[in-house]
Amino acid sequence: MSSSGSSSAQKVRSGTLVGIGLMLLGVFMFALNDVMGKWLVATYSVGQVLLLRSIAALAVLLPIMRQRKVPFAIPPQPGLHAVRITLSTLEVACFYWAVTYLPLADVMTYYLAGPIYVAAFAAFWLGERIDKPRIIAIGLGFVGVLIALRPSPATLSLPALIALAGSLFYSLLMITTRKLRETDDATLVFGQILGTLIFGLVAAPLAWVTPGPLDLAGLLVLGIVSMAAHVCVNRSLKIAPASVVAPYQYTLIVWAIVLGYLAFGDVVGFWTLVGAAIICGAGLALILLEREAARRGREAKDIETPVLPEA
């Protein structure tokens, strides 16, 4: 191997390691954000939490958008953007509402099923091909959801249904994001924050509690940590292959179990753990199937594309 080839391979390996590190850091910050959110919604309404969280996030995002000269204008496909903002607002509101009553790990288990729903919905709404291995992985993922949810009059509580609805909104959000993949990341995040800001402005006055200095700081830090986590995850996906770093998102359930126990004394039930393991396994299988399909596509392209002889 030439020195240039060795140097190029080293850069790829370094980029991959940095990407993995950023994904792990981003997921950990999301977990911290969720713990802080669960602690705050015990005192403050979901609307108030989202309002102050959004204000802090905008304070961080707007200077970044100005520095990058991202235009503040109505983007193409405004109707689809409006749908995405609505879905984003609903899934965040459902999440915070659900963790008010349920252990953090339980809610995260439902949300980690999002990629399973996406794989199922994408075949109908995005026209993506779905083969037998993917059908099996999707089916196993739904089995994991049923095991974690344990449908019965006792377990199908309103908070559990809210968490399940939130995970469905989250999966629909990911699908609309795919359709808007050409849109700048900052514009997409700005739309999400704007949606929660509007929701907070409407809902917060209905149950306003004046926060003390410590709680106010926590509410503002909530938005800053969330923004930093988004930056880490987005940057990770830009410098390393998504198929490599995406599996590390499932470390979120580990942090949810550990931090939920340390912060709130939440003990995760056996069947929730079993369901979470099946969901994570099905999600990882879908990622591997996508990576294999992409590899075969590249090989087919190389075969079809004639290689010119060197001069």
Side-chain angles (χ1 to χ4, degrees):
M1 181 182 292
S2 66
S3 59
S4 61
S6 176
S7 175
S8 177
Q10 182 62 37
K11 287 181 179 179
V12 170
R13 284 195 294 270
S14 298
T16 299
L17 289 175
V18 172
I20 291 172
L22 286 172
M23 176 62 75
L24 289 171
L25 178 60
V27 168
F28 176 66
M29 286 195 290
F30 274 128
L32 285 179
N33 186 75
D34 295 340
V35 169
M36 292 169 60
K38 181 175 173 63
W39 173 59
L40 290 165
V41 292
T43 304
Y44 305 98
S45 68
V46 172
Q48 185 172 352
V49 169
L50 291 182
L51 173 63
L52 295 176
R53 172 182 182 266
S54 301
I55 291 172
L58 282 178
V60 175
L61 180 62
L62 290 177
I64 295 175
M65 293 182 70
R66 279 197 295 267
Q67 183 181 16
R68 293 176 53 186
K69 298 181 179 179
V70 178
F72 290 92
I74 296 177
Q77 299 180 281
L80 191 57
H81 276 279
V83 170
R84 184 180 182 277
I85 290 170
T86 301
L87 290 169
S88 173
T89 303
L90 289 173
E91 72 92 359
V92 172
C94 285
F95 177 85
Y96 282 118
W97 194 1
V99 295
T100 305
Y101 306 99
L102 294 177
L104 189 61
D106 287 26
V107 179
M108 286 312 311
T109 296
Y110 302 139
Y111 270 71
L112 285 177
I116 308 296
Y117 305 145
V118 169
F121 294 154
F124 300 99
W125 291 339
L126 298 181
E128 295 184 0
R129 184 177 62 85
I130 182 168
D131 52 19
K132 187 175 180 180
R134 285 182 177 82
I135 292 173
I136 293 173
I138 291 168
L140 287 174
F142 280 115
V143 169
V145 173
L146 290 175
I147 290 174
L149 189 60
R150 302 181 308 283
S152 71
T155 58
L156 284 178
S157 61
L158 180 60
L161 292 175
I162 290 170
L164 191 60
S167 69
L168 289 171
F169 290 137
Y170 175 64
S171 64
L172 295 174
L173 168 66
M174 287 193 284
I175 289 177
T176 56
T177 301
R178 283 192 190 184
K179 285 183 169 289
L180 296 169
R181 60 169 62 93
E182 300 301 324
T183 306
D184 185 87
D185 288 343
T187 300
L188 292 175
V189 175
F190 175 76
Q192 291 178 247
I193 297 172
L194 185 63
T196 53
L197 178 68
I198 294 171
F199 177 87
L201 287 170
V202 173
L206 302 177
W208 182 266
V209 176
T210 303
L214 180 62
D215 284 0
L216 180 60
L219 287 162
L220 296 176
V221 168
L222 195 66
I224 296 171
V225 172
S226 176
M227 273 298 307
H230 276 295
V231 169
C232 286
V233 171
N234 288 340
R235 186 61 181 163
S236 168
L237 293 169
K238 287 182 182 297
I239 65 176
S243 60
V244 174
V245 297
Y248 291 93
Q249 68 183 314
Y250 290 104
T251 57
L252 187 60
I253 190 64
V254 177
W255 288 119
I257 293 170
V258 173
L259 296 177
Y261 176 76
L262 293 176
F264 310 106
D266 292 339
V267 178
V268 182
F270 172 76
W271 291 113
T272 300
L273 286 174
V274 172
I278 294 174
I279 291 168
C280 291
L284 289 171
L286 286 170
I287 291 171
L288 292 174
L289 288 169
E290 289 294 334
R291 183 161 60 183
E292 179 63 19
R295 184 186 66 79
R296 288 198 300 266
R298 288 194 301 270
E299 290 178 351
K301 185 176 180 181
D302 290 340
I303 292 172
E304 294 170 0
T305 303
V307 179
L308 296 176
E310 294 183 358

